[in-house]
Coordinates of all heavy atoms in Angstrom, one line a residue:
G42 N 103.1 55.3 72.6 CA 101.9 55.8 73.2 C 102.2 56.6 74.4 O 103.4 56.9 74.8
D43 N 101.1 57.1 75.2 CA 101.3 58.0 76.3 C 102.0 57.3 77.5 O 102.7 58.0 78.3 CB 99.9 58.5 76.8 CG 99.3 59.4 75.8 OD1 100.0 59.9 74.9 OD2 98.0 59.5 75.8
V44 N 101.9 56.0 77.6 CA 102.6 55.3 78.7 C 104.0 54.8 78.4 O 104.6 54.1 79.2 CB 101.7 54.1 79.3 CG1 100.3 54.7 79.7 CG2 101.5 53.1 78.2
A45 N 104.4 55.1 77.2 CA 105.8 54.6 76.8 C 106.9 55.0 77.7 O 107.8 54.3 77.9 CB 106.1 55.1 75.3
P46 N 106.9 56.3 78.3 CA 108.0 56.7 79.2 C 108.1 55.8 80.4 O 109.1 55.8 81.1 CB 107.7 58.1 79.5 CG 106.8 58.6 78.5 CD 106.0 57.5 78.0
W47 N 107.0 55.1 80.8 CA 107.0 54.3 82.0 C 107.0 52.8 81.6 O 106.8 51.9 82.5 CB 105.8 54.5 82.8 CG 105.4 56.0 82.9 CD1 106.3 57.0 83.1 CD2 104.1 56.6 82.8 NE1 105.6 58.2 83.1 CE2 104.3 58.0 83.0 CE3 102.8 56.1 82.6 CZ2 103.2 58.8 82.9 CZ3 101.7 56.9 82.6 CH2 101.9 58.3 82.7
T48 N 107.3 52.4 80.4 CA 107.3 51.1 79.9 C 108.7 50.5 79.6 O 109.5 51.2 79.0 CB 106.4 50.9 78.6 OG1 105.2 51.5 78.9 CG2 106.3 49.5 78.2
V49 N 109.0 49.4 80.1 CA 110.3 48.7 79.8 C 110.0 47.4 79.1 O 109.2 46.6 79.6 CB 111.1 48.5 81.1 CG1 112.4 47.7 80.8 CG2 111.4 49.8 81.8
V50 N 110.7 47.1 78.0 CA 110.6 45.9 77.3 C 111.8 45.0 77.5 O 112.9 45.5 77.2 CB 110.3 46.1 75.8 CG1 110.1 44.8 75.0 CG2 109.1 47.0 75.6
E51 N 111.7 43.8 77.9 CA 112.8 42.9 78.1 C 112.5 41.6 77.5 O 111.5 40.9 77.8 CB 113.1 42.7 79.6 CG 113.6 44.0 80.2 CD 113.9 43.8 81.7 OE1 113.5 42.7 82.3 OE2 114.6 44.6 82.3
P52 N 113.4 41.1 76.6 CA 114.5 41.7 76.0 C 114.0 42.7 74.9 O 112.9 42.6 74.4 CB 115.3 40.6 75.4 CG 114.3 39.6 75.0 CD 113.2 39.7 76.1
Q53 N 115.0 43.6 74.5 CA 114.6 44.6 73.4 C 114.7 44.0 72.0 O 114.1 44.6 71.1 CB 115.5 45.8 73.6 CG 115.3 46.6 74.9 CD 116.1 47.8 75.0 OE1 117.0 48.0 74.2 NE2 115.9 48.6 76.0
T54 N 115.4 42.9 71.9 CA 115.5 42.2 70.6 C 115.3 40.7 70.8 O 115.7 40.2 71.9 CB 116.8 42.5 69.8 OG1 117.9 42.0 70.6 CG2 117.0 44.0 69.6
L55 N 114.8 40.0 69.8 CA 114.5 38.6 69.9 C 114.8 37.9 68.5 O 114.2 38.4 67.5 CB 113.1 38.3 70.4 CG 112.8 36.9 70.8 CD1 113.7 36.4 71.9 CD2 111.3 36.8 71.1
R56 N 115.6 36.9 68.5 CA 115.9 36.2 67.2 C 115.2 34.8 67.2 O 115.3 34.0 68.2 CB 117.4 36.0 67.1 CG 117.9 35.4 65.8 CD 119.4 35.2 65.8 NE 119.9 34.7 64.6 CZ 120.2 35.4 63.5 NH1 120.0 36.7 63.5 NH2 120.6 34.9 62.4
L57 N 114.4 34.6 66.2 CA 113.5 33.4 66.1 C 113.8 32.6 64.8 O 113.9 33.3 63.7 CB 112.1 33.8 66.2 CG 111.6 34.3 67.5 CD1 110.1 34.7 67.4 CD2 111.8 33.4 68.7
Y58 N 113.8 31.3 64.9 CA 113.9 30.5 63.7 C 112.5 30.3 63.2 O 111.5 30.5 63.9 CB 114.5 29.1 64.1 CG 116.0 29.2 64.3 CD1 116.5 29.4 65.6 CD2 116.9 29.1 63.2 CE1 117.8 29.4 65.8 CE2 118.2 29.1 63.5 CZ 118.7 29.3 64.8 OH 120.1 29.4 65.0
P59 N 112.4 29.9 61.9 CA 111.0 29.7 61.3 C 110.2 28.7 62.1 O 110.7 27.6 62.5 CB 111.3 29.2 59.9 CG 112.7 29.7 59.6 CD 113.4 29.7 60.9
G60 N 109.0 29.0 62.5 CA 108.1 28.2 63.2 C 108.3 28.1 64.7 O 107.6 27.4 65.4
T61 N 109.2 28.9 65.2 CA 109.4 28.9 66.7 C 108.7 30.2 67.3 O 108.4 31.1 66.6 CB 110.9 29.0 67.0 OG1 111.5 30.2 66.4 CG2 111.6 27.8 66.5
T62 N 108.5 30.0 68.6 CA 107.8 31.1 69.4 C 108.7 31.7 70.5 O 109.4 30.9 71.1 CB 106.5 30.5 70.0 OG1 105.7 30.0 69.0 CG2 105.7 31.6 70.8
G63 N 108.6 33.0 70.7 CA 109.4 33.6 71.7 C 108.5 34.5 72.6 O 107.3 34.8 72.2
T64 N 109.0 35.0 73.7 CA 108.2 35.8 74.7 C 109.1 36.9 75.2 O 110.3 36.8 75.5 CB 107.8 34.9 75.9 OG1 107.0 33.8 75.4 CG2 106.9 35.7 76.8
V65 N 108.4 38.1 75.3 CA 109.1 39.3 75.9 C 108.1 39.8 77.0 O 106.9 39.5 76.9 CB 109.4 40.4 74.9 CG1 110.4 40.0 73.9 CG2 108.1 40.9 74.2
E66 N 108.6 40.5 77.9 CA 107.8 41.1 79.0 C 107.8 42.6 79.0 O 108.8 43.2 78.8 CB 108.3 40.6 80.4 CG 107.9 39.2 80.8 CD 108.2 38.9 82.2 OE1 109.0 39.7 82.8 OE2 107.7 37.9 82.8
L67 N 106.6 43.1 79.1 CA 106.4 44.6 79.2 C 106.1 44.9 80.7 O 105.2 44.4 81.3 CB 105.2 45.0 78.3 CG 105.2 44.6 76.9 CD1 103.9 45.1 76.2 CD2 106.4 45.1 76.1
T68 N 106.9 45.8 81.2 CA 106.8 46.2 82.6 C 106.3 47.7 82.6 O 107.0 48.5 82.1 CB 108.1 46.1 83.4 OG1 108.5 44.7 83.3 CG2 107.9 46.4 84.9
F69 N 105.1 48.0 83.2 CA 104.6 49.3 83.3 C 104.8 49.8 84.8 O 104.3 49.1 85.7 CB 103.1 49.3 83.0 CG 102.8 48.8 81.6 CD1 102.4 47.5 81.4 CD2 103.0 49.6 80.5 CE1 102.2 47.0 80.1 CE2 102.7 49.1 79.2 CZ 102.3 47.8 79.0
S70 N 105.4 51.0 84.9 CA 105.7 51.5 86.3 C 105.3 53.0 86.3 O 106.2 53.9 86.2 CB 107.2 51.4 86.7 OG 107.5 50.0 86.6
P71 N 104.0 53.4 86.3 CA 103.6 54.8 86.3 C 104.0 55.4 87.6 O 103.9 54.8 88.7 CB 102.1 54.7 86.1 CG 101.7 53.4 86.6 CD 102.8 52.5 86.3
P72 N 104.5 56.7 87.6 CA 104.9 57.3 88.9 C 103.6 57.8 89.6 O 102.6 58.0 89.1 CB 105.7 58.6 88.4 CG 105.1 58.9 87.0 CD 104.7 57.6 86.4
R73 N 103.8 58.0 90.9 CA 102.8 58.6 91.8 C 102.8 60.1 91.6 O 103.3 60.8 92.5 CB 102.9 58.1 93.2 CG 101.8 58.5 94.1 CD 102.0 57.9 95.5 NE 100.9 58.4 96.4 CZ 99.7 57.8 96.6 NH1 99.4 56.8 95.8 NH2 98.8 58.3 97.4
S74 N 102.3 60.6 90.5 CA 102.3 62.0 90.2 C 101.1 62.3 89.4 O 100.5 61.4 88.8 CB 103.6 62.4 89.6 OG 103.7 61.9 88.2
P75 N 100.8 63.6 89.2 CA 99.7 64.0 88.3 C 99.9 63.6 86.9 O 98.9 63.6 86.1 CB 99.7 65.5 88.4 CG 100.3 65.8 89.8 CD 101.4 64.8 89.9
D76 N 101.2 63.3 86.4 CA 101.4 62.9 85.0 C 100.7 61.5 84.7 O 100.4 61.3 83.6 CB 102.9 62.8 84.8 CG 103.6 64.1 84.9 OD1 102.9 65.2 84.7 OD2 104.8 64.2 85.3
A77 N 100.6 60.7 85.7 CA 99.9 59.4 85.5 C 98.4 59.6 85.6 O 97.9 59.4 86.7 CB 100.5 58.3 86.5
V78 N 97.8 59.9 84.5 CA 96.4 60.3 84.6 C 95.5 59.0 84.9 O 95.7 58.0 84.3 CB 95.9 60.9 83.2 CG1 94.5 61.2 83.2 CG2 96.8 62.1 82.9
A79 N 94.6 59.2 85.8 CA 93.8 58.0 86.2 C 92.8 57.7 85.0 O 92.4 58.5 84.3 CB 92.9 58.4 87.4
G80 N 92.6 56.3 84.9 CA 91.6 55.8 83.9 C 92.3 55.0 82.9 O 93.5 54.7 83.0
P81 N 91.6 54.5 81.9 CA 92.2 53.7 80.8 C 93.2 54.5 80.0 O 92.9 55.6 79.5 CB 91.0 53.2 80.0 CG 89.9 54.2 80.3 CD 90.1 54.8 81.7
N82 N 94.3 53.8 79.7 CA 95.4 54.4 78.9 C 95.8 53.4 77.8 O 96.4 52.3 78.2 CB 96.6 54.9 79.7 CG 96.3 56.0 80.6 OD1 96.4 57.2 80.3 ND2 95.8 55.7 81.8
P83 N 95.6 53.6 76.5 CA 96.0 52.6 75.5 C 97.5 52.6 75.4 O 98.2 53.6 75.6 CB 95.3 53.1 74.2 CG 95.1 54.6 74.5 CD 94.8 54.7 75.9
F84 N 98.1 51.4 75.1 CA 99.5 51.2 74.9 C 99.7 50.3 73.7 O 98.8 49.6 73.3 CB 100.2 50.7 76.1 CG 99.9 49.2 76.4 CD1 100.6 48.2 75.8 CD2 98.8 48.9 77.3 CE1 100.3 46.9 76.1 CE2 98.5 47.6 77.5 CZ 99.3 46.5 76.9
A85 N 100.9 50.4 73.1 CA 101.2 49.6 72.0 C 102.7 49.3 71.9 O 103.5 50.0 72.6 CB 100.8 50.3 70.7
V86 N 103.1 48.3 71.2 CA 104.5 47.9 71.0 C 104.8 47.8 69.5 O 104.1 47.0 68.8 CB 104.8 46.6 71.8 CG1 106.3 46.3 71.6 CG2 104.5 46.7 73.2
R87 N 105.7 48.5 69.0 CA 106.1 48.4 67.6 C 107.1 47.3 67.5 O 108.2 47.3 68.1 CB 106.7 49.7 67.1 CG 107.0 49.7 65.6 CD 107.6 51.0 65.1 NE 106.7 52.1 65.2 CZ 106.8 53.2 66.0 NH1 107.9 53.2 66.8 NH2 106.0 54.1 66.0
I88 N 106.8 46.3 66.6 CA 107.7 45.2 66.4 C 108.2 45.3 64.9 O 107.4 45.3 64.0 CB 107.0 43.8 66.6 CG1 106.3 43.8 68.0 CG2 107.9 42.7 66.4 CD1 105.5 42.6 68.2
T89 N 109.5 45.4 64.8 CA 110.1 45.6 63.5 C 111.0 44.4 63.1 O 112.0 44.2 63.8 CB 110.9 46.9 63.4 OG1 110.1 48.0 63.8 CG2 111.5 47.2 62.0
P90 N 110.7 43.6 62.1 CA 111.6 42.5 61.7 C 112.8 43.1 61.0 O 112.7 44.0 60.2 CB 110.7 41.7 60.7 CG 109.3 42.2 61.0 CD 109.4 43.6 61.4
T91 N 113.9 42.5 61.2 CA 115.2 43.0 60.6 C 115.2 42.6 59.1 O 115.6 43.4 58.2 CB 116.4 42.4 61.3 OG1 116.4 42.7 62.7 CG2 117.7 42.9 60.7
E92 N 114.7 41.4 58.8 CA 114.8 40.9 57.4 C 113.7 41.5 56.5 O 113.8 41.8 55.3 CB 114.7 39.4 57.3 CG 115.8 38.6 58.0 CD 117.1 38.9 57.4 OE1 117.1 39.2 56.1 OE2 118.2 38.9 58.1
H93 N 112.5 41.8 57.1 CA 111.4 42.4 56.4 C 110.9 43.6 57.2 O 109.8 43.6 57.8 CB 110.3 41.4 56.2 CG 110.8 40.1 55.5 ND1 110.9 40.1 54.1 CD2 111.1 38.9 55.9 CE1 111.3 38.9 53.7 NE2 111.4 38.1 54.8
P94 N 111.6 44.8 57.2 CA 111.2 45.9 58.0 C 109.8 46.5 57.5 O 109.2 47.2 58.3 CB 112.3 47.0 57.8 CG 113.0 46.5 56.5 CD 112.9 45.0 56.5
E95 N 109.5 46.2 56.3 CA 108.2 46.7 55.8 C 107.0 46.0 56.5 O 105.9 46.5 56.4 CB 108.1 46.6 54.3 CG 107.9 45.2 53.8 CD 109.2 44.4 53.7 OE1 110.3 45.0 54.1 OE2 109.2 43.2 53.4
A96 N 107.3 44.9 57.1 CA 106.2 44.1 57.8 C 106.1 44.4 59.3 O 105.9 43.5 60.1 CB 106.5 42.6 57.5
T97 N 106.2 45.7 59.6 CA 106.2 46.1 61.0 C 104.8 45.8 61.6 O 103.8 46.1 60.9 CB 106.5 47.6 61.1 OG1 107.8 47.8 60.7 CG2 106.4 48.1 62.6
T98 N 104.7 45.3 62.8 CA 103.5 45.0 63.5 C 103.4 45.8 64.8 O 104.4 46.0 65.5 CB 103.4 43.5 63.8 OG1 103.6 42.8 62.6 CG2 102.1 43.1 64.5
V99 N 102.2 46.3 65.1 CA 102.0 47.1 66.3 C 100.8 46.5 67.1 O 99.7 47.0 66.9 CB 101.7 48.6 66.0 CG1 101.7 49.4 67.3 CG2 102.8 49.2 65.1
P100 N 101.0 45.5 68.0 CA 99.9 45.0 68.8 C 99.6 46.1 69.9 O 100.4 46.8 70.4 CB 100.5 43.8 69.4 CG 102.0 43.9 69.4 CD 102.3 44.8 68.1
E101 N 98.3 46.2 70.2 CA 97.8 47.2 71.1 C 97.1 46.6 72.3 O 96.5 45.5 72.2 CB 96.8 48.2 70.5 CG 97.5 49.0 69.3 CD 96.5 49.9 68.7 OE1 95.3 49.9 69.1 OE2 96.9 50.7 67.8
G102 N 97.2 47.2 73.5 CA 96.5 46.8 74.7 C 96.0 48.0 75.5 O 96.0 49.1 75.0
N103 N 95.5 47.8 76.7 CA 94.9 48.8 77.5 C 95.4 48.7 78.9 O 95.4 47.6 79.5 CB 93.4 48.8 77.5 CG 92.8 49.9 78.2 OD1 92.8 51.1 77.7 ND2 92.2 49.7 79.4
L104 N 95.9 49.8 79.5 CA 96.4 49.9 80.8 C 95.6 50.9 81.6 O 95.5 52.0 81.3 CB 97.9 50.3 80.9 CG 98.5 50.4 82.3 CD1 98.7 49.1 82.9 CD2 99.9 51.1 82.2
T105 N 94.9 50.4 82.7 CA 94.1 51.2 83.5 C 94.9 51.6 84.8 O 95.4 50.8 85.5 CB 92.8 50.5 84.0 OG1 92.1 50.1 82.8 CG2 92.0 51.4 84.8
I106 N 95.0 53.0 85.0 CA 95.8 53.5 86.1 C 94.8 53.9 87.2 O 93.8 54.6 86.9 CB 96.6 54.7 85.7 CG1 97.7 54.3 84.6 CG2 97.3 55.3 86.9 CD1 98.5 55.4 84.1
T107 N 94.9 53.4 88.4 CA 94.0 53.7 89.5 C 94.2 55.1 89.9 O 95.3 55.7 89.9 CB 94.2 52.7 90.6 OG1 95.5 52.8 91.1 CG2 93.9 51.3 90.2
P108 N 93.1 55.7 90.4 CA 93.2 57.1 90.9 C 93.8 57.2 92.3 O 93.6 56.2 93.1 CB 91.7 57.6 90.9 CG 90.9 56.3 91.1 CD 91.7 55.2 90.4
F109 N 94.4 58.3 92.6 CA 94.8 58.6 94.0 C 94.7 60.1 94.2 O 94.8 60.9 93.3 CB 96.3 58.1 94.2 CG 97.3 59.0 93.7 CD1 98.0 60.0 94.4 CD2 97.7 58.9 92.3 CE1 99.0 60.8 93.9 CE2 98.7 59.7 91.8 CZ 99.3 60.6 92.6
T110 N 94.6 60.5 95.5 CA 94.4 61.9 95.8 C 95.5 62.3 96.8 O 95.8 61.6 97.7 CB 93.0 62.1 96.5 OG1 92.0 61.7 95.6 CG2 92.8 63.6 96.8
E111 N 96.1 63.4 96.5 CA 97.1 64.0 97.4 C 97.0 65.5 97.3 O 97.1 66.1 96.2 CB 98.5 63.6 97.0 CG 99.6 64.1 97.9 CD 101.0 63.5 97.6 OE1 101.0 62.5 96.8 OE2 101.9 64.0 98.1
V112 N 96.8 66.2 98.4 CA 96.6 67.6 98.5 C 97.6 68.3 99.3 O 97.9 67.8 100.4 CB 95.2 68.0 99.0 CG1 95.0 69.5 99.0 CG2 94.1 67.3 98.2
R113 N 98.2 69.4 98.9 CA 99.1 70.1 99.7 C 98.6 71.6 99.8 O 98.3 72.2 98.8 CB 100.6 70.1 99.1 CG 101.6 70.9 99.9 CD 103.0 70.8 99.3 NE 103.1 71.4 98.0 CZ 104.1 71.3 97.2 NH1 105.2 70.6 97.6 NH2 104.1 71.9 96.0
A114 N 98.6 72.1 101.0 CA 98.1 73.5 101.2 C 99.0 74.2 102.1 O 99.6 73.7 103.0 CB 96.7 73.4 101.8
E115 N 99.1 75.5 101.9 CA 99.9 76.4 102.7 C 99.4 77.8 102.7 O 98.8 78.2 101.6 CB 101.4 76.3 102.3 CG 101.7 76.7 100.9 CD 103.1 76.6 100.5 OE1 104.0 76.6 101.4 OE2 103.4 76.5 99.3
L116 N 99.6 78.5 103.8 CA 99.1 79.9 103.9 C 100.2 80.8 103.4 O 101.4 80.7 103.7 CB 98.8 80.2 105.4 CG 97.4 79.7 105.8 CD1 97.3 79.8 107.3 CD2 96.3 80.4 105.2
V117 N 99.8 81.9 102.7 CA 100.8 82.9 102.2 C 100.2 84.3 102.5 O 99.3 84.7 102.0 CB 100.9 82.8 100.6 CG1 101.9 83.7 100.1 CG2 101.2 81.3 100.2
P118 N 100.9 84.9 103.5 CA 101.9 84.4 104.4 C 101.3 83.7 105.6 O 100.1 83.9 105.9 CB 102.6 85.7 104.9 CG 101.5 86.8 104.9 CD 100.6 86.4 103.7
P119 N 102.1 82.9 106.4 CA 101.5 82.2 107.5 C 101.1 83.1 108.7 O 100.2 82.7 109.5 CB 102.6 81.3 107.9 CG 103.9 81.9 107.4 CD 103.5 82.6 106.1
T120 N 101.6 84.3 108.7 CA 101.3 85.3 109.8 C 100.9 86.6 109.1 O 101.6 87.2 108.3 CB 102.5 85.5 110.7 OG1 102.9 84.3 111.3 CG2 102.1 86.5 111.8
V121 N 99.7 87.1 109.5 CA 99.2 88.4 109.0 C 99.0 89.3 110.2 O 98.7 88.9 111.3 CB 97.9 88.2 108.2 CG1 98.2 87.5 106.9 CG2 96.9 87.5 108.9
K122 N 99.1 90.6 110.0 CA 98.9 91.6 111.0 C 97.9 92.7 110.6 O 97.7 93.0 109.4 CB 100.3 92.3 111.3 CG 101.4 91.3 111.8 CD 102.7 92.1 112.0 CE 103.8 91.1 112.4 NZ 105.1 91.8 112.6
G123 N 97.2 93.2 111.6 CA 96.2 94.3 111.3 C 95.5 94.7 112.5 O 95.4 94.0 113.5
R124 N 94.8 95.9 112.4 CA 94.0 96.3 113.5 C 92.5 95.9 113.3 O 91.9 95.6 114.3 CB 94.1 97.9 113.6 CG 95.4 98.4 114.0 CD 95.4 99.9 114.1 NE 96.7 100.4 114.6 CZ 97.8 100.6 113.9 NH1 97.8 100.3 112.6 NH2 98.9 101.1 114.5
F125 N 92.1 95.9 112.1 CA 90.7 95.6 111.8 C 90.5 94.4 111.0 O 89.4 93.8 110.9 CB 90.0 96.8 111.2 CG 90.1 98.1 112.0 CD1 90.9 99.1 111.5 CD2 89.5 98.2 113.2 CE1 91.1 100.3 112.2 CE2 89.6 99.4 113.9 CZ 90.4 100.4 113.4
R126 N 91.5 93.9 110.2 CA 91.4 92.7 109.4 C 92.7 92.2 109.0 O 93.7 93.0 109.0 CB 90.5 93.1 108.1 CG 91.1 94.1 107.2 CD 90.2 94.4 106.1 NE 88.9 94.8 106.5 CZ 88.6 96.1 106.8 NH1 89.5 97.0 106.8 NH2 87.4 96.4 107.2
G127 N 92.8 91.0 108.5 CA 94.0 90.4 107.9 C 93.6 89.7 106.6 O 92.4 89.1 106.6

Side-chain angles (χ1 to χ4, degrees):
D43 294 338
V44 300
W47 318 319
T48 307
V49 176
V50 181
E51 293 180 345
Q53 296 181 349
T54 61
L55 189 62
R56 186 178 181 86
L57 295 178
Y58 288 92
T61 60
T62 302
T64 302
V65 296
E66 280 191 345
L67 309 179
T68 302
F69 302 98
S70 303
R73 187 177 175 84
S74 73
D76 296 331
V78 180
N82 292 268
F84 69 89
V86 180
R87 183 184 294 118
I88 305 174
T89 305
T91 303
E92 298 297 331
H93 301 283
E95 72 281 355
T97 298
T98 302
V99 185
E101 298 180 355
N103 186 70
L104 179 68
T105 300
I106 299 177
T107 59
F109 77 96
T110 303
E111 184 175 346
V112 181
R113 181 176 64 189
E115 58 183 340
L116 283 167
V117 183
T120 301
V121 291
K122 302 178 181 179
R124 292 180 174 85
F125 305 109
R126 62 182 57 84

